[in-house]
Amino acid sequence: MSDHTEVCVVGAGPAGSLLAARLAARGRDVVVLDAGPRFDRAEDLQRVERELRPSHSRPDVWEMDQDPSRDGVRDSYSTTGEIDYKLNRARVKGVGGTTLHWGAMTPRLHEQDFEMASRHGIGVDWPIDYGTLEPFYCDAEREMSVSGAPNPYAGPRSEPYPLPAFDPSHSDGIVREAFAEHGAPLHACPRAINSEQNDGRSACMGYGTCQPVCPSGAKYSADVHADRAEKVGARIVDRAPVVRLDHDESGDRVVAAVYERDGERRRVSADVFVLAAGAVEIPRLLLLSTSQRYPDGLANTSGAVGRYFMEHPGIKVVGEFDEPTRQHLVGYETSVSEAFYDHDDGPAGTMIVQPYNDAGEYPVAAALSSRPLSGRLADGDVTAPFASDEWGDALLDDVRERTEGFIALKAWVEQLPEWENRVALDRSRTDDRGHPVPDLQFSVGEHASASLRRAESFLYDVLESAGATEVKTVVGPDEPWFAFHHLGTTRMGTDPESSVVNAQLRTHDLDNCYVASSSVFPTGGAANPTLTIAALSLRLADHLDGTL
Amino acid sequence: MKLSRRDALVALGAMGVGAGGVGVLRERAAESEEAMTDVLLAAAEVVYPSAVTPTREFVSAYAVGRRRFDADAERFERAVADLDRRARHDTGQSFASLSLARRRDVFRSLGADRAHANHGGTTAERVRYYVVDDLLYALFASPTGGELVGCENPPGHPGGTDAYQRGPEA
Ligand SMILES: Cc1cc2nc3c(=O)[nH]c(=O)nc-3n(C[C@H](O)[C@H](O)[C@H](O)COP(=O)(O)OP(=O)(O)OC[C@H]3O[C@@H](n4cnc5c(N)ncnc54)[C@H](O)[C@@H]3O)c2cc1C
Ligand code: SF4
């Protein structure tokens, strides 16, 4: 089968779906190809059960492969670098992309993030500034129905948030003064979750399972825009992984996206191609698309494709309190502080600090998981190896002990772009269709590690001032958690020698090949990336509509 | 606190088995459903804390009711039947007619007290998944069970956005 369209979009996550919906609404002919399925959202409640019952694992929920070390599987990958990264917990393949699973926190980048090199001598500057993106931030906030309130640390806004912010939680109140006392006053946390019924979707009903699934539809996910795109004429093809991009003889234009479906190879030819497959699969696709003209991969004259991978490493510190802390009553965090975002103030290094609403175990998890043997032994219970799991009143006591009286604080930090941190191909291993798998090689780096150590001491100060009787690092700077934000692997810049796309997101090498993704971020800040991805995508839609 | 049919329907609602679904029951002999309810009620009396009293109507509406719509229904039925069979094998009596202590012994004899829940696993693992854990899920994903541990809107229950803002005294 061969098809021609004006715009071929690879990937139906937020980057691809927002762009497709916008261009289709303007009468453009759009085809979207996505590697994963179209999920039946009527099955969300079964997904909730899969999430809540400890005998299932996270990647189960959206059918990501669980054992990526096996060859011949759709989602196989390698991690030959320092960090054993759980990539399949960090992404979803399917219409809606990873936003089916995401937490929907939507801060903007700050003005300084676009100018880290000129302001602070670290990283690189973006070729665009905050002001250029600001109207598109507003647009993105409207499209994703963000609930929020302005905070004193973020960049200037030209429009209010579309929906009112969620009120802080009871437990935010327990630590509020302590955050302020140590220099980081809390403020509302912007979220793409409906605080009111809006846009044909429900208000938040408090299921508390937003990550990984919101059965009420109050949490924005990009299937909203995929559906919208379809209604205005776009064609969305699921289970259609693009395996290579072919260029014309001159090497100046992409002529076809080659994908595989129902055991067949098919092609879509288009005037313009937009790669929106996420910051791991985009470089992989480019690296797979070698030719005589581009022996190191398409659009890779700079050698920067796959390079400068960044994440947001984080830590978690938990305090125990003598009072009930009212956890697990809602699925998202309701306060945050961007005060330490400023490089010059507070702990140096860009970071976000936040109280969580899910400390301790949730009741089902505590009730359904027998208490780990190691825990019982550590408590001096020598009979543990012979004991059976307790039910009835003993179980209730155990559940109480494991669910009540905790508050968790987290911080995550900026990681600087480093050439060595990368998505490469592991040619020794192949996926279900025989293509080399992505190989994620990266380490956290001294800059981010130092920020994490400063964050840890700040979080201890807060919990101790708030009256915690015991404070403990659950995830520390040496082995941080990751926010599952993938950045930097096709960086944007003015110099074709050192970057992959220009300020219009067009690849330097090819005239009609664009990238919509956090892979274009030259630096990552500490803000969660998806609102910025959405703003860049909407800006690109405008640009393409003007040039097609 | 007695667990009512209403509690069961709340729990079922959270699982998408709403009142609307109740009209499309799978065909199943009423007799086998009665028998399953007996076993599950007897099991609930073992695994639930004494602060709640499971009732026939709760167990029947929740545990049996939800499986009517479930692709896993057969495994569930098999797990319940296996538990009863083990009781008859060990004691010559049905599971439901045993004392609480003897019921515990039957779980132990099966190995369900140490098994990891697995819906496709051994008999012990399936009994753990479909009997023990299903019953605990029904309780702790519902406000009634959540309240026992100060969490009246536990994950999995759509209890709105007020609860998280309230203090413990409210
Ligand atoms: C648990 C979790 C929580 C998160 N929380 C937040 C948060 O609170 N705030 C925030 O800003 N971000 C968050 N994120 C990150 C956020 O989900 C991503 O930044 C966002 O989804 C990226 O959008 P995207 O469209 O670029 O890529 P994706 O959403 O990943 O979509 C890419 C799509 O491309 C498809 N694809 C891949 N390869 C191919 C191919 N070869 N051919 C065709 N299609 C292909 C995939 O199937 C997928 O559907 C979270 C992520 C996770 C995992
Ligand atoms: S808490 Fe709100 S947003 Fe989260 S899953 Fe529930 S309804 Fe959805």
Side-chain angles (χ1 to χ4, degrees):
Chain A
M1 189 187 97
S2 183
D3 258 329
H4 187 85
T5 181
E6 275 183 296
V7 185
C8 173
V9 182
V10 181
S17 299
L18 277 157
L19 178 112
R22 182 58 59 90
L23 285 175
R26 296 200 183 147
R28 298 296 174 181
D29 189 16
V30 181
V31 172
V32 185
L33 304 169
D34 197 280
R38 189 187 290 266
F39 293 101
D40 181 356
R41 300 299 304 265
E43 289 169 9
D44 277 359
L45 287 158
Q46 277 106 295
R47 287 190 189 95
V48 167
E49 187 181 354
R50 258 179 264 162
E51 162 64 8
L52 292 178
R53 292 182 72 144
S55 51
H56 294 277
S57 87
R58 261 272 165 102
D60 262 4
V61 175
W62 295 106
E63 298 164 27
M64 288 301 292
D65 190 65
Q66 295 195 51
D67 183 7
S69 61
R70 284 184 303 149
D71 280 350
V73 180
R74 188 192 67 178
D75 309 321
S76 305
Y77 65 88
S78 298
T79 48
T80 62
E82 198 178 293
I83 289 169
D84 176 21
Y85 189 78
K86 305 291 178 225
L87 180 60
N88 287 347
R89 288 176 167 255
R91 56 181 184 166
V92 175
K93 290 184 182 173
V95 175
T98 310
T99 50
L100 292 166
H101 187 140
W102 75 323
M105 181 171 163
T106 49
R108 299 176 172 194
L109 287 171
H110 288 211
E111 287 175 292
Q112 63 166 30
D113 286 322
F114 299 82
E115 302 158 4
M116 289 303 277
S118 35
R119 287 200 195 197
H120 305 295
I122 54 176
V124 284
D125 287 351
W126 289 46
I128 56 174
D129 61 11
Y130 178 86
T132 309
L133 216 48
E134 204 283 333
F136 299 98
Y137 271 135
C138 295
D139 193 359
E141 284 166 347
R142 273 193 308 272
E143 288 297 320
M144 298 163 90
S145 317
V146 174
S147 303
N151 79 67
Y153 310 104
R157 318 176 44 89
S158 61
E159 283 179 31
Y161 278 100
L163 296 176
F166 288 98
D167 288 320
S169 66
H170 173 76
S171 79
D172 293 344
I174 298 176
V175 291
R176 171 174 303 280
E177 266 179 39
F179 266 94
E181 179 190 326
H182 294 284
L186 294 174
H187 49 81
C189 181
R191 288 224 176 256
I193 294 180
N194 282 346
S195 57
E196 296 170 349
Q197 194 176 351
N198 177 56
D199 209 14
R201 293 187 291 118
S202 157
C204 172
M205 295 169 68
Y207 270 102
T209 54
C210 332
Q211 282 185 57
V213 52
C214 170
S216 77
K219 180 184 85 170
Y220 169 81
S221 51
D223 47 331
V224 165
H225 281 95
D227 290 351
R228 221 173 267 178
E230 231 171 7
K231 284 204 183 90
V232 288
R235 200 147 58 82
I236 297 185
V237 189
D238 73 345
R239 298 173 213 268
V242 175
V243 297
R244 68 173 282 123
L245 300 167
D246 283 341
H247 60 74
D248 64 2
E249 245 166 73
S250 69
D252 293 335
R253 296 181 69 79
V254 175
V255 290
V258 181
Y259 68 100
E260 295 177 356
R261 194 168 201 268
D262 303 333
E264 257 181 61
R265 275 206 158 197
R266 308 178 188 198
R267 297 164 70 82
V268 173
S269 69
D271 300 337
V272 160
F273 293 82
V274 179
L275 311 185
V280 172
E281 296 295 334
I282 292 170
R284 179 186 181 211
L285 176 58
L286 292 170
L287 294 173
L288 285 172
S289 302
T290 51
S291 65
Q292 245 171 355
R293 169 75 191 274
Y294 296 106
D296 299 325
L298 201 68
N300 196 20
T301 305
S302 63
V305 167
R307 298 285 180 175
Y308 304 111
F309 175 84
M310 295 169 282
E311 245 280 11
H312 288 141
I315 54 161
K316 175 176 178 179
V317 174
V318 172
E320 246 186 282
F321 289 77
D322 281 338
E323 57 186 306
T325 52
R326 307 277 297 151
Q327 300 294 292
H328 294 290
L329 293 159
V330 71
Y332 41 86
E333 303 75 40
T334 36
S335 298
V336 65
S337 184
E338 293 177 29
F340 292 156
Y341 211 98
D342 268 322
H343 206 70
D344 306 320
D345 301 342
T350 305
M351 67 180 72
I352 289 184
V353 289
Q354 186 166 49
Y356 273 54
N357 289 320
D358 67 347
E361 291 175 75
Y362 55 91
V364 167
L368 266 60
S369 64
S370 39
R371 191 148 166 235
L373 188 58
S374 55
R376 290 196 207 174
L377 285 172
D379 288 351
D381 178 0
V382 291
T383 65
F386 312 102
S388 53
D389 292 330
E390 306 266 27
W391 292 326
D393 288 344
L395 174 108
L396 181 61
D397 288 344
D398 189 35
V399 173
R400 240 183 228 139
E401 199 178 302
R402 289 155 69 189
T403 53
E404 283 188 342
F406 302 99
I407 289 183
L409 308 181
K410 292 193 192 174
W412 57 97
V413 307
E414 170 160 32
Q415 202 191 345
L416 295 181
E418 304 282 356
W419 174 260
E420 291 72 28
N421 290 338
R422 66 191 287 211
V423 175
L425 295 180
D426 182 349
R427 294 194 180 273
S428 71
R429 301 187 49 220
T430 50
D431 67 8
D432 57 338
R433 294 157 199 271
H435 307 292
V437 305
D439 178 11
L440 196 49
Q441 311 165 4
F442 78 110
S443 56
V444 170
E446 189 38 44
H447 178 84
S449 293
S451 307
L452 288 171
R453 288 193 293 272
R454 282 188 290 268
E456 187 184 26
S457 92
F458 167 79
L459 298 182
Y460 267 72
D461 288 347
V462 170
L463 284 169
E464 280 161 9
S465 297
T469 53
E470 207 184 311
V471 180
K472 156 160 115 191
T473 300
V474 178
V475 184
D478 294 340
E479 277 185 65
W481 56 267
F482 291 97
F484 298 154
H485 305 151
H486 305 151
L487 321 168
T489 51
T490 64
R491 58 159 40 172
M492 173 182 3
T494 45
D495 179 8
E497 300 279 302
S498 62
S499 59
V500 179
V501 302
N502 67 17
Q504 297 301 343
L505 306 185
R506 205 197 70 203
T507 56
H508 292 299
D509 291 349
L510 294 122
D511 294 341
N512 65 338
C513 183
Y514 292 80
V515 178
S517 167
S518 44
S519 65
V520 307
F521 292 12
T523 56
N528 316 43
T530 309
L531 187 76
T532 306
I533 297 173
L536 287 169
S537 237
L538 293 167
R539 176 168 168 269
L540 176 58
D542 266 10
H543 171 74
L544 291 178
D545 193 39
T547 55
L548 273 165
Chain B
M1 187 190 335
K2 258 194 174 177
L3 289 170
S4 64
R5 188 176 142 78
R6 207 190 113 66
D7 286 314
L9 291 180
V10 168
L12 283 172
M15 319 207 59
V17 189
V22 176
V24 288
L25 307 183
R26 271 162 32 110
E27 283 294 324
R28 193 192 282 114
E31 199 182 311
S32 83
E33 223 158 71
E34 280 289 294
M36 273 194 294
T37 306
D38 289 343
V39 178
L40 286 167
L41 178 59
E45 285 163 0
V46 175
V47 302
Y48 281 2
S50 56
V52 294
T53 313
T55 59
R56 265 198 95 69
E57 45 166 1
F58 173 79
V59 168
S60 142
Y62 176 77
V64 181
R66 77 172 273 225
R67 290 295 172 198
R68 286 178 180 143
F69 311 97
D70 202 317
D72 283 357
E74 258 160 54
R75 283 189 182 149
F76 162 70
E77 282 165 35
R78 200 145 59 86
V80 176
D82 283 343
L83 179 62
D84 197 42
R85 189 164 321 115
R86 176 58 71 117
R88 290 176 200 272
H89 172 271
D90 287 2
T91 69
Q93 287 177 297
S94 73
F95 183 76
S97 62
L98 299 175
S99 68
L100 284 179
R102 300 288 297 280
R103 287 179 220 163
R104 254 181 233 121
D105 290 342
V106 175
F107 276 122
R108 231 170 260 148
S109 140
L110 261 177
D113 59 326
R114 306 286 331 252
H116 276 281
N118 179 353
H119 62 285
T122 62
T123 305
E125 289 168 342
R126 282 183 296 103
V127 167
R128 183 73 182 228
Y129 188 94
Y130 286 110
V131 179
V132 178
D133 280 10
D134 241 22
L135 286 165
L136 290 174
Y137 188 88
L139 183 63
F140 285 104
S142 78
T144 309
E147 242 166 68
L148 298 175
V149 294
C151 184
E152 70 278 20
N153 180 32
H157 179 72
T161 52
D162 290 335
Y164 81 81
Q165 299 174 46
R166 278 197 296 267
E169 63 291 335

